[in-house]
Amino acid sequence: MKRILAGVVAAGMVFTSCAAVPSGLVGTGTIPQTLARTNEYDYSRLNEFQTKLWQNMASDKSSALSPLSAYIALAMCASGAEGETLDEFNAVGIGGDEQGLALAALISELTAQPAESESESTTARIDIANSVWVDDSFEVKSEYLQTLTDYFAAEAFNVDLPSSTERINSWIETKTNSHIKDMLSEIPADTLMMLVSTLYLDAEWETKFDSLSTHPGEFYSNSSTRTEDFMHSSGSVRVVDNDDCVGVVLPYLGGRIEFCALMPTDETLTTSQLITRLGGDNSITKLAAEAESERVALALPRFEVETSTSLYDALSSLGLESMFGASADFSGMTDGNISVSEVLQNVYVRVDEEGTEAAAATAVIMCGGLAETEKPREISFDRPFVWAIYDKVSGAILFCGEYN
């Protein structure tokens, strides 16, 4: 394989070209079964990318983002890039054989089904599905399609793309358990190809909140005060506490996937300002890994967030510029002239007493423990905070956001 890149929660790529040639799709491939374990790969480039993307998307508003979904979609795109366009992907940590194998291993482990002796309820459920949609007038290089099928198990469809909006939306909706609906309002007439990748999470808390302990409380947002339903618990919780922030780490069943929520220590500091400080050794996943157990009286709002946003400006700021212009080089995909016109992402997240359910879709559109006797520490998330759901082995952030 020449290059392997990843796709995100739900990713769609639209390719346009002046040429119209017959398409040739390859058969279904298989993700290599001889991959090393995730903890044997270096995920520093993925971790750096997701941190910078989150920092560029920070808004001081309630929002949700899926860095992993975005990374997978862009990686699928980069698999067909050459020249300066490929150099830009590499510069932001996307591309290369080793990175591709690492991503394939991560996807394989995250989506692994529990052993027959285990109950499905003992671990978080994560589904990642990929597909490639090629217009019946367009030709894509078989080597590129083989990479997508081999390493991403992508389903291949040969269709009349401009009239396939409903079909593609239905595919995305099915793969995200009906949480991402009608992502595409329409498919432009010059669209020749789309790459779609979906990510779905359904995870129960290792220790659930008692719904009888949920009751209204005041939440102090940036400009007003409102009433929220707060979930309460008391017991040993891992706590993050430094000069910038204070927060908690809550594991899901299975222990590999965790939730971390952080509030600025300085109440005048906004959530977007806090996110700008969460990088390198101070990243949210590293802070969570260093968290120490304390007895805590915790209050966390039950919340639900839906976000539809463009990643265009953020990706351009990170250095992915040539793919959006006439100088885009995707000759690894096709002999036609194509470029990216937009990158969209839809995300849904619900956090309640039972756990978390979340789904995301990214579309790349292309044209042409303390003693019980000690008083518990009170941590109430009654003002704006940031949160993330991540894989503690690789550091990959599945979902993250702000709550304001």
Side-chain angles (χ1 to χ4, degrees):
M1 182 196 66
K2 190 173 183 180
R3 280 178 306 280
I4 308 175
L5 296 166
V8 197
V9 178
M13 304 177 54
V14 182
F15 299 80
T16 64
S17 169
C18 296
V21 292
S23 63
L25 297 182
V26 295
T28 301
T30 303
I31 295 177
Q33 300 299 310
T34 57
L35 296 167
R37 293 187 60 80
T38 297
N39 58 12
E40 297 176 12
Y41 289 104
D42 180 6
Y43 288 93
S44 58
R45 297 174 73 201
L46 164 60
N47 295 336
E48 182 179 359
F49 170 84
Q50 64 192 15
T51 295
K52 290 182 177 179
L53 180 63
W54 193 13
Q55 290 172 340
N56 274 275
M57 294 299 295
S59 64
D60 287 325
K61 299 177 182 178
S62 291
S63 61
L65 175 71
S66 176
L68 179 58
S69 169
Y71 191 87
I72 294 173
L74 292 169
M76 293 176 72
C77 183
S79 292
E82 300 284 359
E84 180 186 359
T85 303
L86 177 60
D87 290 341
E88 289 181 355
F89 275 114
N90 290 336
V92 298
I94 302 174
D97 286 349
E98 188 66 18
Q99 196 72 0
L101 290 171
L103 186 57
L106 177 61
I107 293 172
S108 179
E109 287 191 15
L110 291 178
T111 58
Q113 299 299 310
E116 292 184 6
S117 59
E118 298 178 353
S119 167
E120 292 187 7
S121 63
T122 62
T123 186
R125 170 190 168 187
I126 299 174
D127 296 332
I128 298 174
N130 302 304
S131 61
V132 52
W133 304 75
V134 180
D135 188 76
D136 53 19
S137 68
F138 189 59
E139 184 175 1
V140 179
K141 291 183 177 180
S142 60
E143 296 86 355
Y144 173 68
L145 289 172
Q146 196 69 60
T147 295
L148 299 186
T149 55
D150 283 348
Y151 287 86
F152 302 101
E155 298 178 65
F157 300 94
N158 195 354
V159 297
D160 175 28
L161 267 179
S163 63
S164 298
T165 303
E166 184 176 349
R167 183 176 177 184
I168 297 174
N169 280 340
S170 178
W171 189 92
I172 293 171
E173 182 176 343
T174 298
K175 299 302 182 181
T176 57
N177 202 31
S178 299
H179 288 299
I180 305 297
K181 298 181 180 180
D182 301 323
M183 182 174 182
L184 305 170
S185 58
E186 65 176 354
I187 298 177
D190 58 357
T191 301
L192 295 179
M193 180 175 171
M194 295 187 68
L195 299 177
V196 181
S197 177
T198 63
L199 171 60
Y200 173 74
L201 168 75
D202 188 6
E204 295 183 12
W205 300 120
E206 190 173 89
T207 302
K208 297 180 181 180
F209 291 85
D210 185 350
S211 60
L212 296 178
S213 297
T214 298
H215 52 78
E218 297 300 308
F219 184 88
Y220 307 96
S221 68
N222 293 328
S223 57
S224 62
T225 299
R226 65 178 185 267
T227 300
E228 294 272 4
D229 287 331
F230 281 83
M231 307 180 293
H232 292 82
S233 69
S234 182
S236 180
V237 174
R238 285 160 51 208
V239 173
V240 176
D241 192 355
N242 62 22
D243 292 340
D244 292 325
C245 57
V246 60
V248 298
V249 178
L250 304 176
Y252 296 102
L253 281 176
R256 176 164 179 160
I257 306 300
E258 296 182 328
F259 173 94
C260 180
L262 301 175
M263 291 183 296
T265 302
D266 179 354
E267 295 189 18
T268 65
L269 196 70
T270 66
T271 51
S272 63
Q273 289 171 329
L274 174 58
I275 291 171
T276 63
R277 303 185 184 189
L278 297 177
D281 291 335
N282 202 46
S283 70
I284 194 167
T285 54
K286 290 186 177 181
L287 291 176
E290 298 167 357
E292 298 184 356
S293 295
E294 292 187 35
R295 180 160 176 77
V296 170
L298 173 64
L300 178 70
R302 182 173 58 193
F303 67 89
E304 188 172 24
V305 179
E306 291 186 69
T307 299
S308 299
T309 189
S310 167
L311 304 184
Y312 182 103
D313 290 339
L315 295 176
S316 296
S317 297
L318 291 179
L320 293 176
E321 297 179 302
S322 71
M323 73 176 187
F324 292 112
S327 62
D329 185 351
F330 288 104
S331 55
M333 294 180 187
T334 177
D335 292 327
N337 297 317
I338 57 176
S339 63
V340 177
S341 62
E342 180 61 284
V343 180
L344 305 174
Q345 187 175 91
N346 289 17
V347 181
Y348 167 84
V349 177
R350 187 188 75 250
V351 175
D352 60 22
E353 292 87 349
E354 298 293 318
T356 299
E357 187 176 23
T362 305
V364 182
I365 303 175
M366 303 184 72
C367 62
L370 298 177
E372 293 293 324
T373 55
E374 183 173 340
K375 182 180 178 180
R377 175 178 181 173
E378 294 185 2
I379 300 181
S380 179
F381 288 85
D382 58 357
R383 54 189 174 86
F385 60 90
V386 302
W387 56 270
I389 299 168
Y390 56 90
D391 170 33
K392 70 178 185 181
V393 177
S394 66
I397 297 178
L398 283 69
F399 299 91
C400 60
E402 302 166 71
Y403 193 72
N404 279 280

